[in-house]
Amino acid sequence: MFDASQPARPGVLHIVATPIGNLRDLSQRALDVLKTADIIAAEDTRTTQGLLNTQQIQAGKLTPLHDHNEQAAAVRLIDALREGKSVAYVSDAGTPGISDPGARLVNAVRAAGFEITPIPGPSAVATALSVAGIEGAWLFYGFLPAKPAARRKTLQELATRPDALVFYEAPHRIEETVDDLLAVLGGERSIMFARELTKKFEQLHACPLAAAAAWLAADDNHRRGEFVLVIGPPPAQADDSDVEAHRILAILLEELPLKQAAHLAARITGARKNALYDLALTLKNIDA
Ligand code: SAM
């Protein structure tokens, strides 16, 4: 029978994404690699052993690689790659390197000249964005600083950007973070709470930031579990030239018929005549 499985390759580091809740999200390629890798480095070997048990995978050797030993563990894994072993790396959940260890390992392995290959799969940021309805650019920040002063300073820097913003947040900080989001970004921007994605109590809730604290307070469950927060872009600001065109049109409308006022305002300001005509209708309170 044709076997389409893709085993782990010797001398290659495989960065393997794992489910963020629903075990059915583990990909076929991830299964192939985890079944066959000589070494599986894991952020938490017990968590990964649990995942492997659910899939009846008799795994290769499990070894820890986390924030506190990443550099030293990377050196050992490079030795293994040099011996021609196949190596996989998994974090606790989702995609390694995304608010998880993995970046230092990847840099060290690349510097040592070995091949690295991604085995893509779930990530909370991509999962949340897929249902957020954001049309333009977005910036993924990950976790905001835990200390309030640093958090607000970071938010003030981010507030000047025109993009949607995506954050990870833990349940014990969700309320204070939402308070700061409102204080710094204002109540008009939208927020989508993506809670417990792919899990039994998955919940998506979108509202203006002004209403976010009330939603959190309305039900204890709203503050439980894991969160991705997607903040919509800042509301479009009228620029200075719009404001000037508006001012001139309003003066001309006091003296001239609507069409003539729109025409003259367009000539004076360089703004589009149709846009000024529509604005004039609004100012005169006439339906187009
Ligand atoms: N590497 C992971 C990824 O690719 O999404 C993220 C790891 S980070 C340490 C954990 C954070 O991701 C959580 O605190 C939460 O903000 C977010 N997260 C992870 N799983 C989630 C889920 N099922 N629903 C909502 N957010 C989740």
Side-chain angles (χ1 to χ4, degrees):
M1 200 169 88
F2 175 66
D3 180 7
S5 70
Q6 294 189 5
R9 289 185 284 138
V12 174
L13 171 66
H14 305 70
I15 299 291
V16 183
T18 56
I20 57 170
N22 191 324
L23 294 178
R24 307 282 298 170
D25 292 336
L26 190 65
S27 75
Q28 291 295 327
R29 285 185 70 205
L31 275 170
D32 290 346
V33 167
L34 294 175
K35 270 182 198 160
T36 55
D38 295 316
I39 298 175
I40 300 176
E43 184 181 5
D44 181 329
T45 52
R46 278 175 311 173
T47 303
T48 300
Q49 187 62 63
L51 173 71
L52 299 175
N53 291 345
T54 65
Q55 307 299 313
Q56 286 88 45
I57 297 178
Q58 298 297 320
K61 199 170 146 234
L62 271 165
T63 180
L65 184 146
H66 43 70
D67 275 337
H68 306 291
N69 77 343
E70 190 163 355
Q71 212 66 48
V75 171
R76 285 196 296 278
L77 292 178
I78 289 167
D79 286 342
L81 290 169
R82 198 168 282 122
E83 289 165 16
K85 300 241 165 70
S86 56
V87 177
Y89 179 63
V90 292
S91 58
D92 279 358
T95 301
I98 300 183
S99 296
D100 260 346
R104 280 179 284 174
L105 171 66
V106 162
N107 286 330
V109 168
R110 182 169 292 122
F114 291 97
E115 188 181 338
I116 305 162
T117 189
I119 310 294
S123 183
V125 52
T127 309
L129 277 165
S130 73
V131 289
I134 299 296
E135 290 188 49
W138 44 270
L139 181 142
F140 172 62
Y141 190 84
F143 290 99
L144 281 161
K147 295 202 173 126
R151 186 166 55 229
R152 279 184 218 132
K153 185 166 176 286
T154 302
L155 283 173
Q156 272 150 9
E157 285 158 13
L158 294 173
T160 59
R161 303 186 60 109
D163 319 303
L165 303 170
V166 188
F167 301 105
Y168 282 167
E169 196 45 282
H172 62 277
R173 259 201 292 275
I174 188 72
E175 285 171 291
E176 49 185 287
T177 291
V178 163
D179 287 347
D180 284 349
L181 287 168
L182 173 64
V184 180
L185 303 181
E188 268 191 79
R189 289 180 76 162
S190 64
I191 181 168
M192 186 190 79
F193 293 92
R195 197 172 76 77
E196 296 290 85
L197 290 165
T198 77
K199 301 185 195 177
K200 186 170 176 199
F201 296 109
E202 175 181 279
Q203 185 173 35
L204 302 175
H205 178 76
C207 63
L209 262 174
W215 181 77
L216 281 177
D219 186 331
D220 288 348
N221 288 326
H222 292 175
R223 302 186 296 279
R224 294 204 172 109
E226 300 193 275
F227 290 89
V228 182
L229 306 176
V230 183
I231 312 297
Q237 300 267 328
D239 67 20
D240 289 351
S241 59
D242 287 345
V243 173
E244 184 62 1
H246 192 133
R247 192 183 71 80
I248 289 171
L249 179 65
I251 294 170
L252 293 174
L253 274 173
E254 287 172 16
E255 307 289 337
L256 298 172
L258 190 144
K259 214 170 170 179
Q260 209 181 343
H263 181 76
L264 262 182
R267 282 186 60 196
I268 295 167
T269 63
R272 283 192 317 114
K273 200 166 81 187
N274 286 350
L276 287 173
Y277 187 76
D278 289 345
L279 180 58
L281 287 172
T282 313
L283 291 174
K284 285 273 183 192
N285 230 350
I286 301 170
D287 287 335

